[in-house]
Amino acid sequence: MTSFKTIRARAEKRKGGPRALDKLMPEKPDLKGLAKLGDDRILAEMTRRVFCAGFAWSVIDSKWDGFEAAFLHFQPAKLTFQPEDYWEGLLRDARIVRNGAKIMSVRDNASFVQEIAKEHGSFGKFLAKWPPSNEVGLLDLLTKRGSRLGGNTGQMLLRFVGWDGFVTSKDVVACLRDAGLDIAEEVKSKGDLAKVQAQFNAWAEETGLPYTYLSRICALSVGDNRSEH
């Protein structure tokens, strides 16, 4: 496998040097901040990622204030006690995108968030304690216990709440394949995910960098020469 030093050098060359690449890095993962994140904000981000899947993100963003109001500002306890009439009413609520399956996922995920919070103090505390060396296990848990949180949706949820992990975007997968990892062009199988995890674990040990940085640098080292991942 290609060393990460080589991949980083390629990204630096493409982006105008080490300093230019550094400016494209996200904020460093903040475990204390993640642990303090309210369960309502976790559920809000779950909902946002679920609704963004298959839609233009700009559409969801433009209606987000309506989502906040319609879903009672994503307070899990309030949502889990709402009667059927409330959920049926959301199917006619123009403030949100009226997709029945996605609307009902909010109710399911409100229960999921509450369950995890009871077990660990809060969902944020739970995430803050989960090691980035086992993102595959966390994604599996989101898939099995959450609603519509599998695949890329789960990865983007973790990225947006500030958890330190990789994202198997098109460019990241291209980087991994170019480095010699035997995986499909679209990483969907558990076997391929395990290989990706193992490689990021190796690169993290090699460099000491956060997984979020490794993923971003990997993406910036290949594909279209964009300034953002």
Side-chain angles (χ1 to χ4, degrees), residues 3-197:
S3 73
F4 201 78
K5 182 179 180 180
T6 299
I7 292 170
R8 180 164 191 158
R10 188 171 67 219
E12 289 174 352
K13 183 177 181 180
R14 285 163 54 85
K15 297 303 174 183
R19 290 186 179 180
L21 182 65
D22 287 343
K23 290 180 179 179
L24 297 176
M25 293 301 100
E27 293 183 6
K28 287 186 177 180
D30 177 10
L31 293 182
K32 290 183 179 180
L34 178 56
K36 293 178 181 178
L37 194 62
D39 290 333
D40 61 317
R41 293 305 90 199
I42 295 287
L43 181 58
E45 198 58 56
M46 285 181 177
T47 303
R48 197 166 195 148
R49 293 308 118 209
V50 167
F51 274 86
C52 279
F55 283 83
W57 289 14
S58 59
V59 173
I60 306 303
D61 290 344
S62 68
K63 298 174 76 71
W64 193 249
D65 287 345
F67 273 82
E68 287 278 354
F71 286 107
L72 310 179
H73 299 284
F74 298 103
Q75 298 179 63
K78 283 189 176 182
L79 288 169
T80 54
F81 279 103
Q82 293 305 305
E84 290 296 329
D85 287 351
Y86 164 79
W87 298 100
E88 291 174 3
L90 289 174
L91 296 172
R92 302 183 296 275
D93 196 328
R95 293 175 296 177
I96 64 173
V97 172
R98 289 161 287 182
N99 179 297
K102 293 187 177 188
I103 287 171
M104 296 313 297
S105 77
V106 182
R107 181 169 69 176
D108 294 338
N109 284 329
S111 296
F112 171 43
V113 169
Q114 281 191 300
E115 290 168 4
I116 293 293
K118 287 179 181 178
E119 294 169 11
H120 299 274
S122 74
F123 207 101
K125 289 179 181 178
F126 162 72
L127 290 177
K129 293 177 182 178
W130 195 286
S133 59
N134 187 23
E135 180 173 346
V136 171
L138 181 53
L139 292 172
D140 187 56
L141 182 144
L142 291 174
T143 300
K144 291 179 177 178
R145 296 184 61 176
S147 177
R148 305 181 73 89
L149 296 177
N152 185 255
T153 300
Q155 292 181 19
M156 296 310 295
L157 165 66
L158 296 175
R159 174 61 58 85
F160 276 92
V161 297
W163 190 79
D164 184 24
F166 59 80
V167 172
T168 53
S169 66
K170 181 180 178 180
D171 286 344
V172 169
V173 173
C175 169
L176 289 163
R177 284 165 57 87
D178 181 75
L181 196 63
D182 182 20
I183 54 175
E185 291 184 8
E186 291 187 41
V187 174
K188 294 183 178 180
S189 72
K190 288 185 176 181
D192 278 355
L193 270 174
K195 291 178 183 179
V196 171
Q197 181 76 73

